[in-house]
Amino acid sequence: MVKYSATLDSTFGALADPTRRAILASLMLGEASMSDLAGPHRMSLPAVMKHVRVLQNAGLVAQKKIGRTRFCRLSPTPLKHAEDWIAQYRRFWEGTFDSLERFLSQDPPPEKQTEQQKENQSWPHRNRSRKTRSS
Amino acid sequence: MVKYSATLDSTFGALADPTRRAILASLMLGEASMSDLAGPHRMSLPAVMKHVRVLQNAGLVAQKKIGRTRFCRLSPTPLKHAEDWIAQYRRFWEGTFDSLERFLSQDPPPEKQTEQQKENQSWPHRNRSRKTRSS
C-alpha cells in the first residue's frame, strides 16, 4: 500500500509538468532519441534530459542504449495505475451522486430546516458530518 | 489549450501527495468539515487546511460555510479531465502496441541486422528515429 502510494506520488508528480506531458505525447509516435525529444522544445538538451529522468524515475519512460545513442520509449504501467486510482471517482462525474451545484446553492442553514429538508439536502452526508451540522 | 494544460498541471500536482489523495478518498463518503477531514491524519489542523487549499485551488474540492463551520465537498471535473488525458495512452497498456519487454530485450544493435529485422523490431518507430538508427 505504501509502495503503491509512493508510485502514485511519483506518477502524478511527473505528469504535473507540461514539458513532461509533451515528451510522453511525443513517445506515443514510437521510440525516440534524446535529441528527437528535445527537438520541439525551446530548452537545452540537458534540461530535456532532466525532464526525461523524472519520467524515467516515475517508471513512465524506459531507456535503451544503441551504440552511442539513447532511445526512450513510453512505459505505460504507471499511467494505468493512475487511471485506476482516478476511476474510483468516476461515479461522481457521471452524475450518480447529486450535483456539486446543489451543494453550493444557497440553501438555508440546516438549523432553520426541518429534519426532512436536512435529509434531502446534498446526499450523501457522512454520519459524523450530519451530526456536526445538526448540532 | 494553455488553460487546459495549466489545469492539468494543478490537478496532477495536487494528486501527487498521499495526504491530499486521502482527503479526496474521505470526501467520497460525502461532505465533511475541516475537523472531520483532519481527524484521520497525524498533522495539525492548519497543515490539513493547507492541503485542502491546494485541492481547492486545483478545483478538486469546493467549500461552503454554514454558520461557523466550513464544509468541503469533492468537485470531480478536474479528475475527469485528468482521466481523459491519461486515456489517450490506454492502447499502450492494453497491448495493441508491441511490448516494452521487446524494446528492452537484448537485440543485436541495428547496424548488424538486415533491413527486414530492423523493420520488425519494436514497431512503431517514428521516421526520424529509424533514420537515426540506420545511420
Side-chain angles (χ1 to χ4, degrees):
Chain A
M1 185 64 191
V2 172
K3 194 183 168 192
Y4 173 68
S5 180
T7 305
L8 286 174
D9 289 0
S10 63
T11 305
F12 287 129
L15 297 181
D17 181 276
T19 303
R20 293 197 287 268
R21 290 197 303 276
I23 289 170
L24 291 181
S26 185
L27 290 173
M28 285 177 96
L29 304 174
E31 61 192 74
S33 69
M34 208 62 81
S35 52
D36 288 339
L37 291 176
H41 302 287
R42 287 183 186 178
M43 55 176 73
S44 66
L45 189 62
V48 170
M49 287 169 75
K50 206 172 164 183
H51 281 301
V52 171
R53 209 171 305 127
V54 175
L55 290 166
Q56 199 181 357
N57 290 341
L60 288 158
V61 159
Q63 280 194 43
K64 183 180 175 179
K65 202 171 180 184
I66 299 179
R68 288 181 182 181
T69 310
R70 284 193 177 275
F71 288 90
C72 296
R73 181 158 181 145
L74 185 72
S75 172
T77 308
L79 290 172
K80 182 188 183 315
H81 293 158
E83 201 206 35
D84 288 346
W85 185 87
I86 294 175
Q88 303 174 89
Y89 295 85
R90 197 176 288 150
R91 66 183 187 275
F92 288 93
W93 69 75
E94 285 179 347
T96 313
F97 283 66
D98 71 334
S99 70
L100 185 66
E101 287 72 21
R102 192 169 165 189
F103 168 70
L104 293 172
S105 70
Q106 294 305 310
D107 289 314
E111 60 271 20
K112 295 187 182 172
Q113 296 175 32
T114 64
E115 279 307 308
Q116 187 55 49
Q117 280 176 319
K118 283 182 207 170
E119 197 61 38
N120 291 343
Q121 188 193 36
S122 20
W123 180 89
H125 295 302
R126 62 188 70 214
N127 285 341
R128 61 185 185 197
S129 169
R130 211 182 292 159
K131 203 172 167 186
T132 312
R133 294 185 64 176
S134 59
S135 64
Chain B
M1 183 64 190
V2 171
K3 194 183 168 193
Y4 173 68
S5 181
T7 304
L8 286 174
D9 289 1
S10 62
T11 304
F12 287 130
L15 297 181
D17 180 276
T19 304
R20 292 196 288 267
R21 290 196 303 277
I23 290 170
L24 292 180
S26 186
L27 290 174
M28 285 178 95
L29 304 174
E31 61 193 75
S33 69
M34 209 61 83
S35 52
D36 288 339
L37 291 176
H41 302 289
R42 288 184 186 178
M43 55 176 73
S44 66
L45 189 63
V48 171
M49 286 170 75
K50 204 171 164 184
H51 281 301
V52 171
R53 208 172 305 128
V54 174
L55 290 166
Q56 199 181 358
N57 290 341
L60 288 157
V61 160
Q63 280 194 43
K64 183 181 176 180
K65 203 173 181 184
I66 299 179
R68 290 183 181 180
T69 311
R70 284 193 177 276
F71 287 91
C72 296
R73 180 156 183 145
L74 186 72
S75 172
T77 309
L79 290 172
K80 183 189 182 314
H81 293 159
E83 201 205 36
D84 289 346
W85 185 87
I86 294 175
Q88 305 173 88
Y89 296 85
R90 196 175 289 150
R91 66 182 187 274
F92 289 93
W93 71 74
E94 285 180 346
T96 313
F97 282 66
D98 70 334
S99 71
L100 185 67
E101 288 71 22
R102 191 168 167 189
F103 168 69
L104 294 171
S105 70
Q106 295 304 311
D107 289 314
E111 60 271 20
K112 295 187 181 172
Q113 296 175 33
T114 64
E115 279 306 309
Q116 188 57 49
Q117 280 175 319
K118 284 181 207 172
E119 195 62 37
N120 290 343
Q121 189 193 34
S122 27
W123 180 89
H125 295 303
R126 61 187 72 213
N127 284 342
R128 62 187 185 197
S129 168
R130 208 183 293 161
K131 202 171 167 186
T132 312
R133 294 184 64 175
S134 60
S135 63

